[in-house]
Amino acid sequence: MPGTLYLVATPIGNLADITHRAIEVLTNVALIACEDTRHTRKLLQHYGIATKTISYHEHNEQERARQLIDLLREGKDVAVVSDAGTPSISDPGFRLVRAAIENDVSVVPVPGPSALIAALVAAGLPTDEFFFGGFLPARSNARRTKLTELRSVPATLVFYEAPHRLAETLNDALEVLGEREAVVARELTKLHEEIKRGRLSDLAEYYSNEDARGEIVLLIDRTLLEGEVTKEVASVGLLVDQFERDGLDHRAALKKAARELKLSRAEAYRRLLAERGKS
Ligand code: SAM
């Protein structure tokens, strides 16, 4: 009988945020695959868990997955944890899960904390539908393209963001998505937990003057704030570029951009020329 692969969620800050079942599983498996063994050892020590650990991170994911699958096929149970939260969510895990499935090894989740869910439930933005985009691209051009793709997603947008990029991302979001309600959830479950709510423009200004520190989840509402539609800073050009990249010819791309922005084709064309300095 092959062993079981457990995906075990661990705290995102507050060490008390761990389930009884997680402790039980981490105690009883043959091996714990950790993103950073030293980091996880602190958690294990805190709970008096003596299980052996092995590193499993983005740089050795493929090779390690093969070794772990061999162990699982020999009948050993293995747990995967990341540094914080739920493994495989913007963290290693996915490759191993695929390999386990291909090798008929059962995959069992042991649910618990994840920063995106903690942020979403406290943000005060609609939770009925949400889109999790992981980390946005680090470069502004790629980030704007990504945000352009997400303009019309009818769901709360949730991203992980690095503190040194927060102000730039908020400014890009304001420009591409227009004025919307947004939330910056920082250091959740930790001593300096802070949940800042406001308009994108207010948050962009605030974090342009204030050093953001620690770990951050950024959430953005799905709709423009009332009264902002006419002032919308939306770029016809960004949309046209995107649709052309998707394979439409210029005419069709402009037509689709006009439809998305609820503009007449003539108005979209006029705006495009203005944006490109041709009028
Ligand atoms: N797997 C993790 C999870 O389930 O939340 C996420 C791992 S990802 C590499 C790390 C990012 O998650 C951080 O850069 C930050 O954006 C977010 N994050 C993690 N812990 C957080 C916390 N306590 N407060 C706010 N955001 C956090």
Side-chain angles (χ1 to χ4, degrees):
M1 277 287 284
T4 299
L5 176 67
Y6 294 96
L7 288 131
V8 181
T10 57
I12 57 168
N14 188 325
L15 278 189
D17 289 334
I18 190 159
T19 66
H20 288 291
R21 185 167 167 235
I23 293 173
E24 201 178 283
V25 167
L26 292 175
T27 305
N28 293 327
V29 290
L31 188 64
I32 305 173
C34 324
E35 212 183 341
D36 178 342
T37 49
R38 274 179 310 181
H39 182 94
T40 299
R41 211 159 286 138
K42 286 183 207 145
L43 176 77
L44 299 180
Q45 264 163 12
H46 185 82
Y47 285 102
I49 299 169
T51 311
K52 270 200 339 202
T53 57
I54 190 171
S55 71
Y56 172 66
H57 45 69
E58 58 174 328
H59 305 294
N60 70 0
E61 217 181 336
Q62 215 153 351
E63 180 201 332
R64 204 52 118 210
R66 272 195 297 272
Q67 295 170 1
L68 293 170
I69 291 297
D70 287 346
L71 285 174
L72 286 155
R73 289 174 55 156
E74 285 167 21
K76 304 260 190 337
D77 291 338
V78 173
V80 183
V81 300
S82 59
D83 283 353
T86 301
S88 199
I89 300 296
S90 296
D91 266 338
F94 169 71
R95 280 217 174 85
L96 187 55
V97 169
R98 292 290 289 200
I101 294 165
E102 278 159 22
N103 285 277
D104 290 326
V105 168
S106 24
V107 178
V108 172
V110 182
S114 188
L116 80 102
I117 297 296
L120 179 69
V121 295
L125 297 176
T127 53
D128 55 338
E129 287 186 61
F130 64 91
F131 173 92
F132 174 57
F135 287 94
L136 282 165
R139 287 174 184 273
S140 184
N141 267 352
R143 185 161 59 222
R144 282 158 173 258
T145 303
K146 185 81 213 167
L147 287 166
T148 305
E149 286 169 24
L150 302 178
R151 273 183 60 117
S152 45
V153 171
T156 297
L157 305 177
V158 187
F159 305 102
Y160 288 158
E161 191 49 285
H164 62 278
R165 277 199 285 271
L166 179 63
E168 221 184 296
T169 295
L170 286 165
N171 276 304
D172 283 346
L174 174 64
E175 210 164 299
V176 174
L177 304 173
E179 187 72 289
R180 301 186 186 199
E181 241 188 278
V183 177
V184 173
R186 215 169 55 77
E187 296 286 88
L188 294 171
T189 77
K190 301 187 202 177
L191 186 63
H192 297 293
E193 176 175 286
E194 178 187 62
I195 302 180
K196 227 175 171 37
R197 305 173 177 89
R199 301 151 68 94
L200 268 175
S201 60
D202 297 335
L203 292 173
E205 193 186 332
Y206 179 82
Y207 286 106
S208 298
N209 301 314
E210 189 77 15
D211 258 357
R213 299 232 173 100
E215 302 201 274
I216 290 164
V217 184
L218 168 64
L219 305 98
I220 304 175
D221 200 5
R222 70 193 70 183
T223 48
L224 285 161
L225 279 165
E226 222 166 293
E228 292 293 337
V229 178
T230 48
K231 283 195 264 158
E232 193 182 349
V233 268
S235 162
V236 180
L238 276 174
L239 276 184
V240 168
D241 289 348
Q242 178 60 43
F243 296 144
E244 285 181 350
R245 270 197 298 277
D246 292 346
L248 294 186
D249 64 31
H250 184 70
R251 232 177 116 84
L254 181 64
K255 191 171 160 191
K256 190 166 173 188
R259 207 170 45 235
E260 293 258 323
L261 295 170
K262 300 190 175 57
L263 299 171
S264 69
R265 245 183 293 169
E267 175 58 13
Y269 185 58
R270 194 196 60 69
R271 280 222 219 168
L272 183 68
L273 292 181
E275 279 172 24
R276 295 189 169 163
K278 292 184 185 158
S279 68

